[in-house]
Amino acid sequence: LETRPDGIRVHAPRGTVIHLWTDATVARHTADGTTSDLPYPAPLPNHDAQVEHGGAVFTRGDYLVTGWLSAYNSIAPRA
């Protein structure tokens, strides 16, 4: 994941699920195995000037997250 001001650049295996969000608005994408530039979804009408953006990439058993969910990147799977 590479965060950018207007979205995220992601290179992920085919079939990987990618979620991007802007506050409460979420967009879901499925990777095709190439590098993609994905835009953050538009915020809801009447949103605050300060918005939260982020993204999460989920494969089978693995994940990588940006934004407020990034704390989960340091959690190890249970054995």
Side-chain angles (χ1 to χ4, degrees):
L1 284 177
E2 179 184 333
T3 58
R4 296 169 172 243
D6 59 345
I8 290 180
R9 174 171 282 179
V10 61
H11 181 77
R14 181 182 303 275
T16 299
V17 177
I18 305 158
H19 288 267
L20 300 179
W21 62 84
T22 300
D23 289 335
T25 306
V26 178
R28 180 178 186 253
H29 305 274
T30 303
D32 63 5
T34 64
T35 299
S36 300
D37 290 323
L38 303 173
Y40 291 119
L44 296 172
N46 302 319
H47 71 280
D48 295 333
Q50 181 73 21
V51 295
E52 293 250 1
H53 295 293
V57 175
F58 300 96
T59 62
R60 293 182 180 166
D62 295 323
Y63 55 87
L64 182 62
V65 184
T66 68
W68 66 272
L69 281 175
S70 63
Y72 289 99
N73 290 333
S74 62
I75 297 173
R78 292 184 181 199

